[in-house]
Amino acid sequence: RASFPWLGKTQQTMEIGLPLLCLLPVGQVGAIIAHEFGHLMGQHGLLNKRIQDLRQLLIRLEENLAEFGESSSLYWRWFHRVSCSCLHLFLRWYVPRLDARSFAVQRAGEYVADQVATRWRGGRTIIQALYSLELAGCYLHQEFWPRLWAEARYSSMPCGAPFSQLTSGKGIGDLGPEQATEWIYHALRAPTGEEDTHPSLHDRVSRLGANTRTLRGCSLIGGVPHQLFSEPFLQDAAAKMDAQWL
């Protein structure tokens, strides 16, 4: 965010989600933080912001030209139609190419940040962290939240402390090796799309030297270890978020 807009200075803030702290062990959380510091060091966020600002500027320019032509004279209306037509054709040609280049730049930034995390925390740790993120995301979206919403739909007394459940490890301990391996297997088969801001899991771990055919060398297959559940600050954060949830 801009701290001194008239000087062009910005302040970048890193936010770590509570589910990530609950579902990943300490070393892998450190790898994720190192990855984010790689983005900060490369100023990837500022570059992406400039690209998006340029895109919004072009869109506003087209909108302002349209409004200008409605209240102008007959001559300017003719000029407006010609200029808007030319600008519209240009934007139809330029904006998709700008988006494609910006997506490619963001994906390249992810590779750079992965390499920074590798130098700080080691390649094996960042690979395991990427697998853990995938497992945690699948667990949250396919198991944890659907079960919670189903309970709220059919029970007169639904759970009012979902984040405390995360810190206690309730539910994720039932994640078996077969389910974890299946999730990772399907994630590794997903290709990188042209409009993706992040490379696919397969592309990222392959770039880091992981063997994606056998899934060996990843100790997280078969369950996500928990090493932060006893931390008091996590329990306090979960209690505060549970209060907001209610």
Side-chain angles (χ1 to χ4, degrees):
R1 62 177 183 268
S3 54
F4 298 96
W6 56 88
L7 296 178
K9 295 184 178 180
T10 59
Q11 177 182 355
Q12 301 185 70
T13 304
M14 182 189 302
E15 296 182 356
I16 306 292
L18 180 64
L20 185 145
L21 294 176
C22 292
L23 300 180
L24 268 68
V26 177
Q28 294 174 24
V29 172
I32 298 301
I33 294 176
H35 171 93
E36 296 304 323
F37 270 110
H39 285 306
L40 296 177
M41 291 171 58
Q43 297 186 338
H44 299 156
L46 297 179
L47 177 59
N48 295 333
K49 182 178 183 302
R50 292 191 181 100
I51 295 175
Q52 294 303 317
D53 289 344
L54 174 59
R55 190 179 190 278
Q56 293 298 322
L57 176 63
L58 294 174
I59 294 176
R60 287 197 301 268
L61 176 60
E62 185 180 26
E63 294 175 350
N64 291 338
L65 273 178
E67 295 177 358
F68 174 76
E70 296 177 355
S71 58
S72 57
S73 62
L74 180 61
Y75 171 78
W76 283 108
R77 287 179 186 175
W78 174 85
F79 176 77
H80 150 264
R81 291 176 182 175
V82 175
S83 59
C84 277
S85 298
C86 295
L87 179 62
H88 182 67
L89 291 174
F90 171 74
L91 292 180
R92 288 187 60 183
W93 173 85
Y94 181 72
V95 171
R97 288 163 175 78
L98 176 65
D99 290 341
R101 300 300 188 278
S102 65
F103 294 143
V105 168
Q106 292 179 65
R107 290 194 295 269
E110 294 300 323
Y111 289 129
V112 172
D114 284 345
Q115 292 299 325
V116 172
T118 299
R119 290 197 298 269
W120 286 356
R121 305 296 300 181
R124 181 178 177 82
T125 303
I126 185 63
I127 290 172
Q128 291 179 337
L130 292 174
Y131 282 127
S132 292
L133 282 176
E134 186 63 36
L135 290 176
C138 290
Y139 168 73
L140 290 172
H141 291 97
Q142 299 184 32
E143 298 286 342
F144 182 78
W145 291 115
R147 182 176 67 247
L148 194 69
W149 290 120
E151 182 181 352
R153 186 179 300 112
Y154 299 109
S155 175
S156 59
M157 294 293 293
C159 172
F163 300 101
S164 294
Q165 285 191 19
L166 286 176
T167 59
S168 66
K170 181 181 179 181
I172 198 171
D174 300 330
L175 180 63
E178 297 81 7
Q179 181 64 78
T181 304
E182 180 182 356
W183 283 343
I184 293 296
Y185 174 76
H186 287 293
L188 289 173
R189 295 186 64 186
T192 301
E194 295 182 355
E195 297 183 357
D196 290 338
T197 59
H198 287 63
S200 66
L201 178 64
H202 176 275
D203 291 347
R204 293 181 71 178
V205 298
S206 296
R207 184 72 67 91
L208 295 171
N211 186 351
T212 59
R213 293 185 178 182
T214 62
L215 296 181
R216 293 176 181 173
C218 179
S219 62
L220 298 175
I221 300 299
V224 179
H226 319 293
Q227 298 177 1
L228 292 177
F229 290 154
S230 61
E231 295 290 341
F233 79 93
L234 278 181
Q235 299 175 3
D236 294 339
K240 293 178 181 179
M241 296 180 70
D242 286 336
Q244 296 178 358
W245 172 268
L246 293 174

